Amino acid sequence: MSFLDHVAVLVLTLDEAPNIGRALEALRDFPEIVVLDSGSRDDTLRIVAAFPNARIAQRSFDTHANQWNYGLFRCGIERPFVLALDADHIVPPALVEEIAHLSPSSATCGFRARFRYCVFGEGLSGALYPPSIVLFRRERCHYIQSGHTQRLVIDGAVVELVGVIDHDDRKPLARWFGSQQKYAALEARHLLGTPRDRLRLSDRIRRLGWLSPWLIGLYTLVVKRCALDGWRGWFYVLQRVLAETLIALEIIDRRRRVEATVIGQERRGVGAASAKKGR
């Protein structure tokens, strides 16, 4: 028996017509795909309906963690393993084959995959997109919210997959701008609301505000070698610098607002004290 028979694929969507067809086409060998949609108004659902191994569930979006947990435990999935993917994640045939031949021990709870970031279908030499646990035992995992996105809490050993998933988003740039503005607000709140000693070094740098965009630009160009990828590499670098700039602006704005509130309260307190003395 192929290990694919033990796996249900879970995909979240919202107006993913430019991506979902390519993603599902790559998943034809999986027997069960659940597409949890949060109110698409484009052709997403029509495209999904054309795939016989896919079914649609719907829920209004509130947070990433809640949406993923709803998909895991409230959408009728009974297979023991779940492959959790975004709609712009394309699983190459080599990785499908690797998953088909897995034989995990009872101690193995999840499998972590690396990602190849693509711009207009062409892979970059490197990117900031981190590896993540994408395949896991459903009953021994759940999601929690972390900043603007979710984090998987897993009870068991994690094994590295050899294959790489393509992150290949073809949605319009205007959609990306809108998403980044929302993410920046959530990420700034997370960075400022988390004690400094509980943040990773990279997040401590980001919490400074002004420094992160410059370092991210240099890091993606040189260390991740995006300078070697021509205009696609520069396109990606500009995206990352802009995303970090939005977060930096949110952090600076929130700090200044807090300072202005404190100063205002102090001035009102001084004014009230002076008025009492005058009486």
Side-chain angles (χ1 to χ4, degrees):
M1 176 184 287
S2 168
F3 187 71
L4 300 184
D5 293 324
H6 298 283
V7 179
V9 182
L10 177 61
V11 184
L12 302 193
T13 57
L14 173 62
D15 294 334
E16 289 286 351
N19 296 317
I20 192 62
R22 292 177 295 110
L24 296 184
E25 184 64 39
L27 299 168
R28 280 192 177 275
D29 290 341
F30 288 85
E32 180 183 11
I33 302 172
V34 176
V35 175
L36 178 54
D37 186 76
S38 53
S40 292
R41 296 183 180 182
D42 63 1
D43 286 338
T44 296
L45 300 185
R46 180 185 62 79
I47 295 170
V48 174
F51 290 84
N53 60 337
R55 58 185 173 88
I56 298 167
Q58 293 183 303
R59 178 184 185 270
S60 297
F61 184 88
D62 47 10
T63 69
H64 286 89
N66 287 344
Q67 198 78 350
W68 283 107
N69 286 329
Y70 184 90
L72 292 181
F73 305 114
R74 301 289 297 278
C75 288
I77 294 176
E78 296 184 354
R79 297 174 196 270
F81 280 83
V82 167
L83 178 62
L85 301 171
D86 291 341
D88 53 15
H89 291 169
I90 313 300
V91 183
L95 181 53
V96 174
E97 186 72 11
E98 181 183 352
I99 294 173
H101 287 88
L102 290 176
S103 181
S105 69
S106 59
T108 300
C109 191
F111 295 86
R112 183 183 288 108
R114 293 170 293 118
F115 289 83
R116 184 180 74 141
Y117 200 95
C118 299
V119 175
F120 296 99
E122 295 290 332
L124 300 179
S125 298
L128 301 177
Y129 208 88
S132 67
I133 302 168
V134 295
L135 177 62
F136 50 84
R137 293 185 189 271
R138 185 175 61 88
E139 293 296 340
R140 291 168 61 182
C141 300
H142 67 278
Y143 286 98
I144 61 173
Q145 194 69 20
S146 179
H148 76 272
T149 188
Q150 75 286 341
R151 178 168 63 85
L152 186 69
V153 177
I154 187 165
D155 178 23
V158 177
V159 175
E160 305 295 329
L161 291 168
V162 175
V164 176
I165 297 174
D166 284 341
H167 178 284
D168 189 8
D169 189 3
R170 307 283 183 91
K171 295 191 295 294
L173 187 60
R175 178 81 178 275
W176 181 86
F177 276 114
S179 297
Q180 293 306 313
Q181 287 180 311
K182 296 176 185 176
Y183 294 163
L186 292 171
E187 197 67 17
R189 184 172 64 186
H190 168 69
L191 292 171
L192 293 174
T194 303
R196 189 175 182 277
D197 60 358
R198 291 175 54 190
L199 292 173
R200 299 172 300 176
L201 175 60
S202 59
D203 285 336
R204 293 179 190 179
I205 294 173
R206 296 172 85 201
R207 197 161 83 165
L208 294 175
W210 61 272
L211 185 59
S212 181
W214 301 95
L215 291 179
I216 287 296
L218 193 61
Y219 184 78
T220 50
L221 275 174
V222 179
V223 179
K224 291 298 183 179
R225 301 184 300 165
C226 288
L228 303 177
D229 294 316
W231 70 266
R232 288 181 176 85
W234 284 96
F235 183 88
Y236 175 72
V237 170
L238 287 173
Q239 279 189 319
R240 297 327 315 155
V241 169
L242 178 56
E244 290 297 326
T245 299
L246 290 173
I247 295 172
L249 288 170
E250 280 281 351
I251 288 173
I252 294 169
D253 180 69
R254 287 166 186 253
R255 282 176 172 156
R256 296 294 85 81
R257 289 178 184 275
V258 169
E259 290 176 2
T261 300
V262 170
I263 292 172
Q265 291 173 344
E266 290 175 348
R267 287 176 177 173
R268 286 193 294 272
V270 171
S274 298
K276 287 181 180 179
K277 288 182 179 179
R279 290 198 297 269

